[in-house]
Amino acid sequence: AQSVTQLGSHVSVSEGALVLLRCNYSSSVPPYLFWYVQYPNQGLQLLLKYTTGATLVKGINGFEAEFKKSETSFHLTKPSAHMSDAAEYFCAVSDAANAGKSTFGDGTTLTVKP
Amino acid sequence: KAGVTQTPRYLIKTRGQQVTLSCSPISGHRSVSWYQQTPGQGLQFLFEYFSETQRNKGNFPGRFSGRQFSNSRSEMNVSTLELGDSALYLCASSLDGLHMNTEAFFGQGTRLTVV
């Protein structure tokens, strides 16, 4: 079974500050890892994904994440927060055999203060 | 390219009724997955369909069912609705849901309210 833990259900940063959203996963097989963003009353939009290869993954809107197998982590970062980054963020895990079935974390709500 | 389309966007049903939700994937996508999102349980996987066959299933009761048509459009059905079925139901489509083609595109969801 796979699981995802997102540390901190709410994160607040000032505009221009570093954004760090934490995600730890558990998987008995090599994981596929994803970060999604959800705006109110909307579906989820993929920010970035890791399947194989380079462990530092760059996504849209200036976000990136690093897969660290030894720490079972896939933290999401952005150097400088923008007001438009305020949303809910979800980390998810799947694997090659079950890629159509993702297990999601509980989500982290990011607030950006002016 | 049109995105994933879910209909209807909002739905209000009475306990005991049944409901059918529809999802039209992106053209060319053959994998369709369904998720239930609630404040208490978060995002939970319901099932995935590929080429008209259910390929994966989550831990939901048999009242939740789905199907996929030859054009990859998918429907999910919930029978004997309960208050706890009130949720945002999200559909996601991907090329084949395997290996490198895992990028899933989500629809805006159907907000189901059971009263």
Side-chain angles (χ1 to χ4, degrees):
Chain A
Q2 296 174 317
S3 67
V4 174
T5 302
Q6 291 184 238
L7 298 173
S9 59
H10 291 84
V11 170
S12 180
V13 301
S14 298
E15 192 173 19
L18 171 72
V19 175
L20 171 60
L21 304 183
R22 300 178 187 274
C23 172
N24 287 89
Y25 70 91
S26 171
S27 178
S28 58
V29 296
Y32 289 173
L33 295 159
F34 310 83
W35 274 100
Y36 291 90
V37 61
Q38 185 178 34
Y39 297 98
N41 296 314
Q42 298 293 318
L44 278 69
Q45 181 183 11
L46 181 69
L47 285 174
L48 48 79
K49 68 176 181 181
Y50 168 80
T51 53
T52 59
T55 57
L56 181 61
V57 181
K58 295 185 186 299
I60 62 170
N61 301 340
F63 285 95
E64 64 180 39
E66 186 170 11
F67 169 59
K68 291 188 177 181
K69 184 178 177 181
S70 61
E71 299 177 9
T72 60
S73 69
F74 191 59
H75 302 329
L76 181 71
T77 60
K78 181 174 180 177
S80 177
H82 192 272
M83 296 297 290
S84 61
D85 294 328
E88 190 161 18
Y89 292 79
F90 293 91
C91 181
V93 63
S94 66
D95 59 74
N98 298 287
K101 171 186 177 181
S102 292
T103 299
F104 284 83
D106 290 337
T108 297
T109 299
L110 175 66
T111 301
V112 182
K113 298 175 291 186
Chain B
K1 190 175 193 182
V4 179
T5 303
Q6 290 188 246
T7 57
R9 287 292 312 278
Y10 301 92
L11 206 49
I12 300 175
K13 288 287 189 178
T14 304
R15 269 184 305 175
Q17 287 187 312
Q18 75 163 14
V19 67
T20 299
L21 312 182
S22 178
C23 173
S24 293
I26 291 172
S27 178
H29 285 195
R30 297 169 65 193
S31 168
V32 174
S33 299
W34 288 90
Y35 294 84
Q36 181 196 66
Q37 186 177 27
T38 59
Q41 299 296 317
L43 272 155
Q44 293 188 288
F45 173 79
L46 281 155
F47 28 66
E48 182 214 2
Y49 285 87
F50 179 78
S51 292
E52 302 178 64
T53 301
Q54 188 179 84
R55 188 161 66 176
N56 270 301
K57 188 178 189 303
N59 297 321
F60 278 80
R63 299 186 298 107
F64 292 81
S65 63
R67 59 178 175 169
Q68 187 179 34
F69 301 95
S70 58
N71 62 359
S72 293
R73 189 177 72 85
S74 177
E75 289 181 346
M76 68 163 280
N77 183 278
V78 188
S79 62
T80 320
L81 283 165
E82 300 177 359
L83 294 179
D85 297 333
S86 295
L88 181 67
Y89 290 88
L90 292 166
C91 162
S93 81
S94 61
L95 276 169
D96 61 18
L98 293 175
H99 307 296
M100 301 303 290
N101 293 324
T102 59
E103 181 164 351
F105 295 83
F106 281 79
Q108 291 187 300
T110 294
R111 172 76 62 186
L112 172 65
T113 302
V114 182
V115 298

